[in-house]
Amino acid sequence: MWPPGRPVDGRRKATVRSPCTDWNVRPMVDHLSAGQHTFAVVMGARRPLLALGPAPGALRKAFRTSAAALVAAFDEPGALERTVRAPIGEVPGAVALRLQTIEHLVHGWDLARAIGQKALFDEATVEREIEFARGLTARMPSGPGAPFAPSRTAPDDTPALDRWPRCSDATSPSDPHTVHRGTPRPQLSRGTRTTMKKTKLKIAIAGAALVAAVATGTALATNGSAAGSGSTSSSERTRTEHAEQKTPSVIKADGPNVFPHSLDFDARSNTFFAGSLKHGTVSAVRPDGKVRTFIDDPELVSAQAVLVDRERDRILVSNVDYGTADRSRKDAPFRVAGVGSYDLKSGKQDWCVDLTALTLDGKQHLISDVTVAPDGTAYAVDELTPTVFRIDRTGHASVFLRNDLLKGTLDIPDLLNGVGMSAVEWVEGNQLIIAMADGSLVRVPVKHPEKAQEVKLSAPLGSPTAGMRLLKDGSIAAVSSGLLTGKPAPIQRVEPRDGWKKATVKVTDTVEDPVTSDVTAGPDGTTYALSGGLADLFAGKPHDGFSLTPVKAD
């Protein structure tokens, strides 16, 4: 806060230099107002916004009006899910939110330093945005004209915001309306998409507005508070810091005969959700290995793919039938193909759609994986036919794509022939990345699925590829089963180039159990691989539980 009893001279402080070269306070506040104005319009602000003006009074009014319009625009239903045209190109609304949050955190710090004030931002929010920003700065050019100045080393006990790269915009006082020239389009992981909260922006705007108030000699009213719902208590931070110091260990889950093929992690409840190929249920798994049944829907024969969609508080589950489940038709395996949606709090069914009703082809089907786009549309891939299904938020399904490029070529003796699509992720650029069991990847532009093409890999993934996880920097972690070789299962990192037209593949870890079938996020930024005892399932043997092994993904 500004020291009590010390007079505030708005005109004098408006000309004080900020830590950024060639900036002072007035154009910095002008720049923040311009950014708020721009993104409010991008997000479809309904109210008219004031034009910017050079007078302090006009500047204050413009900041206040554009801040209110920006928060209101992000509060609109569906704002974070739809694609918008920002100054850096087409991005999900959730990405636009993060860009504005970072903008207010960075320049709030700049303004505070310029006028001798302490930047009072919520540390938990700052830490989250630093991790997101690292992914951006790592891919930015350096040198003259770069968006960020060279990084500087700070002591470990320095507050989070003081460790942030300074001078984030390649702009000048003569061009305060330019927004992040040269900034690459950021990429959102599954975990990032599901933890986005509009509270972050309100916290950042509140902090920046407090600094701007001192700089311009008046108090600005904005929505939100640094002590609001986005704050984290010191005890919670202490627990988090203590957890991060621990070395991740193997989680031995006590679910006998569950036989999960896939799982996903919900960071808010600190819970893994794993499907059961044997029981057709979905189990909640705590980090201490305790397992309880969470979803038990009679319509589910075998629960294969499991996806936590935190944005819509639901779990998506693919329904399959290997002929080995309690509810199987032993004489007619692979005749069940569907996707169900279940409430993340209660486990109750929202809807469960039968995808075989769309094909009526009499063929065998196996919905191996499902992903979800920012607008809530789900995409499910069929391992035994070259078909991708699209399912809207209400459960209405349609055939999205049939393409021979997705036809299966891998045979697994005594189990399946012609195995094709094994995993799918929605990635930045509104694309689907589909893993084929033979170790190849296929890129499918959602708006033009007919332009699907194989990704040129530096080396093929191990075969059969079993599961994938989208990482925070836009890369993918993939696990390949050692089912056919008997060797440890490799964990591979796939780094995209040229908008996923090409990618570099490198092995980052292995799991001793060959039949490891999925990889997911875990507590405190970890990555875990799932070994579900599937070899015993298909051999007709019992199993006393399953394990989650921490692995390196970078």
Side-chain angles (χ1 to χ4, degrees), residues 365-420:
H365 295 273
L366 177 62
I367 304 302
S368 57
D369 199 12
V370 61
T371 189
V372 65
D375 65 359
T377 302
Y379 296 89
V381 295
D382 187 351
E383 195 165 299
L384 300 182
T385 75
T387 310
V388 181
F389 298 92
R390 175 166 46 197
I391 310 164
D392 69 17
R393 294 172 62 172
T394 65
H396 180 267
S398 59
V399 173
F400 172 67
L401 175 65
R402 284 194 181 98
N403 192 316
D404 284 347
L405 189 63
L406 305 174
K407 185 176 292 185
T409 59
L410 181 71
D411 294 340
I412 300 178
D414 302 320
L415 182 62
L416 281 173
N417 293 326
V419 179

Side-chain angles (χ1 to χ4, degrees), residues 205-344:
I205 289 180
L210 179 63
V211 177
V214 175
T216 56
T218 187
L220 304 181
T222 60
N223 292 317
S225 167
S229 61
S231 64
T232 303
S233 69
S234 59
S235 61
E236 288 174 328
R237 285 197 295 271
T238 300
R239 287 196 300 269
T240 299
E241 290 166 359
H242 180 67
E244 289 175 344
Q245 294 171 0
K246 294 181 179 179
T247 301
S249 58
V250 175
I251 299 172
K252 296 289 188 179
D254 62 3
N257 297 324
V258 172
F259 296 113
H261 184 286
S262 305
L263 80 168
D264 200 8
F265 180 70
D266 176 36
R268 186 182 300 178
S269 63
N270 201 35
T271 303
F272 296 92
F273 290 94
S276 171
L277 293 187
K278 177 65 173 175
H279 304 317
T281 56
V282 174
S283 297
V285 184
R286 301 293 297 176
D288 62 4
K290 299 298 183 182
V291 177
R292 65 181 177 88
T293 300
F294 182 71
I295 297 171
D296 189 358
D297 180 1
E299 290 190 56
L300 293 178
V301 177
S302 284
Q304 175 146 326
V306 176
L307 170 65
V308 175
D309 182 7
R310 170 55 73 179
E311 285 296 318
R312 282 151 285 274
D313 284 327
R314 62 178 179 171
I315 299 177
L316 297 177
V317 183
S318 74
N319 191 13
V320 304
D321 185 3
Y322 286 86
T324 57
D326 297 339
R327 298 167 179 159
S328 287
R329 285 186 56 188
K330 304 297 191 289
D331 59 339
F334 306 110
R335 301 295 176 181
V336 172
V339 173
S341 173
Y342 300 86
D343 185 87
L344 185 53

Side-chain angles (χ1 to χ4, degrees), residues 489-502:
I491 306 298
Q492 300 130 118
R493 180 183 176 89
V494 187
E495 298 179 349
R497 293 183 287 126
D498 195 15
W500 276 104
K501 293 179 181 177
K502 303 175 183 177

Side-chain angles (χ1 to χ4, degrees), residues 143-218:
F148 287 87
S151 60
R152 293 169 292 185
T153 302
D156 292 339
D157 59 353
T158 302
L161 195 55
D162 289 346
R163 301 195 304 269
W164 203 314
R166 300 272 63 87
C167 307
S168 65
D169 295 288
T171 56
S172 67
S174 62
D175 184 20
H177 298 220
T178 304
V179 182
H180 295 288
R181 288 201 299 264
T183 303
R185 294 173 64 182
Q187 314 203 20
L188 285 179
S189 71
R190 179 182 295 172
T192 302
R193 290 196 305 270
T194 57
T195 55
M196 285 296 300
K197 290 294 174 186
K198 291 184 278 293
T199 307
K200 294 180 185 179
L201 180 60
K202 296 180 183 179
I203 292 171
I205 289 180
L210 179 63
V211 177
V214 175
T216 56
T218 187

